[in-house]
Amino acid sequence: MTERILVTGSSGQIGSELVPKLIERYGADNVICVDLKEPADKLCAFEKLDVTDREGFEKIVKENAVSQIYHLASILSATGEKMPEKTWEVNMGSLRHVLDFARDYNIRVFWPSSIAAFGPTTPRDNTPQQTVLEPSTMYGVTKTAGELLCNYYHLKYGVDVRSLRYPGLISWKQEPGGGTTDYAVDIFYKGLATGKYECFVSEDTVLPMMYMDDAINGTLKLMDADSGKLTVWTSYNMAAISFSAKELEEEVKKHIPNLEVSYSPDGRQKIANSWPRSIDDSVARADWGWAHEYDLSKMVKTMIENLKKKLL
Ligand code: NAD
Ligand code: AKB
């Protein structure tokens, strides 16, 4: 059967890197993109859609005989705290639509959760797969509730919905869209453009992070996995590297020696403090062979090389 792939939130940080990989696998004619925002590069069919518009969304799913949905459209943590009601409406409302379509039209779904599903009462080091989930942001609430809803649709209706708790993702093609981990990308843009960076979390802030190529490879590997091997239908812990903002500064300075970094924590510090420092992803590694490639130095070198070409 020819797979027909729908990507929501396709113009965002992850979508802009996932879409070319899906096109490589399935062909441009079999990938359909939807977002509120036009894509930077139009590589396949694109339709403007608000994913809270159930009727418009269902029409696209039916007309295109979609067999897989990568549901990336979302409002992220920092923006979410500025508009919590809208964040619930977009993140939960659209997930509910996607899960209903998956049940009614037999569609396989990928939906990303996040380290934001954890909260201040979660063990912060080597956070286990199964642990306390009491997030303190609306974004986190939608991730925890979303995980439970995915699991429910799997148990009740047999929906094949797969999910990963992504850490902060670092990439150069598209700037991140309003998250707390954005400082780990901003430092490269501002550092190369101005030689200075004012970081919005303190230098000792440690969060789990991952280079985008690892995240995309992991996502596709999970979607390819034999469903009989999967033991988690909420969302899999997924980890690569954890470092402090200061350690990132020092690594970036190996490439931009005159870089000046100052630290001026804002409201996003509180969000960062409520998230784990490192993640135990042994279940993902055992169940479907997850493995990362990029450590801190390889990630920084790759970011600098690509951003120099893009910006300078
Ligand atoms: P992003 O903000 O870069 O992209 C999200 C896209 O969704 C944007 O292009 C936006 O226009 C679109 N969108 C927002 N509201 C919409 C609506 N109502 N209708 C249609 N489109 C809408 O985010 P991203 O980093 O690409 O994240 C994608 C997914 O991955 C999200 O679920 C996010 O929670 C998750 N995630 C991302 C990270 C990360 O570090 N990037 C980490 C953990 C989880
Ligand atoms: C954010 O900071 O909101 C995202 C995430 C970790 O979910 N990057």
Side-chain angles (χ1 to χ4, degrees), residues 188-203:
F188 293 96
Y189 277 87
K190 301 264 167 42
L192 282 169
T194 67
K196 290 195 172 88
Y197 181 55
E198 186 177 283
C199 183
F200 59 77
V201 296
S202 61
E203 62 180 36

Side-chain angles (χ1 to χ4, degrees), residues 13 76-78 113-116 139 143 166-169 176 178-182 208 271 275:
Q13 190 195 2
L76 276 71
S77 60
S113 184
S114 158
I115 51 167
Y139 173 66
K143 290 304 186 191
Y166 287 143
L169 300 183
T180 302
T181 58
D182 294 11
I271 302 179
W275 290 352

Side-chain angles (χ1 to χ4, degrees), residues 129-269:
Q129 174 65 49
Q130 280 175 315
T131 186
V132 182
L133 295 172
E134 293 179 339
S136 52
T137 60
M138 179 52 89
Y139 173 66
V141 169
T142 67
K143 290 304 186 191
T144 299
E147 288 188 9
L148 295 176
L149 196 63
C150 289
N151 192 48
Y152 181 80
Y153 271 67
H154 178 71
L155 294 173
K156 177 90 176 168
Y157 306 115
V159 169
D160 187 349
V161 48
R162 305 177 182 201
S163 178
L164 293 167
R165 291 175 179 150
Y166 287 143
L169 300 183
I170 300 175
S171 65
W172 57 270
K173 281 195 185 145
Q174 183 75 31
E175 288 190 66
T180 302
T181 58
D182 294 11
Y183 65 90
V185 178
D186 295 349
I187 187 172
F188 293 96
Y189 277 87
K190 301 264 167 42
L192 282 169
T194 67
K196 290 195 172 88
Y197 181 55
E198 186 177 283
C199 183
F200 59 77
V201 296
S202 61
E203 62 180 36
D204 59 353
T205 302
V206 177
L207 285 174
M209 302 277 181
M210 182 180 290
Y211 186 57
M212 184 64 82
D213 287 18
D214 278 338
I216 302 288
N217 287 340
T219 302
L220 296 173
K221 201 169 169 70
L222 174 64
M223 285 299 270
D224 285 346
D226 175 352
S227 71
K229 294 211 164 118
L230 305 183
T231 60
V232 174
W233 294 92
T234 48
S235 189
Y236 275 99
N237 277 8
M238 183 199 211
I241 30 177
S242 281
F243 48 79
S244 67
K246 185 71 184 174
E247 284 167 327
L248 177 61
E249 173 193 337
E250 280 161 5
E251 195 61 40
V252 176
K253 275 184 171 160
K254 292 182 185 165
H255 303 267
I256 315 174
N258 297 327
L259 176 67
E260 288 172 33
V261 180
S262 57
Y263 293 88
S264 175
D266 65 16
R268 288 168 281 190
Q269 183 71 52

Side-chain angles (χ1 to χ4, degrees), residues 7-79:
V7 184
T8 75
S10 57
S11 305
Q13 190 195 2
I14 300 174
S16 56
E17 306 236 12
L18 179 64
V19 167
K21 293 283 174 199
L22 292 170
I23 288 175
E24 243 173 66
R25 288 182 149 212
Y26 300 107
D29 291 347
N30 293 312
V31 181
I32 303 107
C33 290
V34 296
D35 200 303
L36 291 173
K37 225 171 45 184
E38 292 284 335
D41 303 313
K42 194 161 174 283
L43 305 172
C44 59
F46 172 82
E47 285 202 44
K48 219 172 224 189
L49 173 78
D50 182 334
V51 286
T52 61
D53 165 11
R54 187 181 174 106
E55 238 175 73
F57 199 167
E58 187 163 12
K59 189 164 175 271
I60 291 174
V61 168
K62 276 165 70 177
E63 280 178 1
N64 290 285
V66 167
S67 62
Q68 291 187 24
I69 301 179
Y70 289 77
H71 181 42
L72 307 179
S74 170
I75 295 175
L76 276 71
S77 60
T79 309

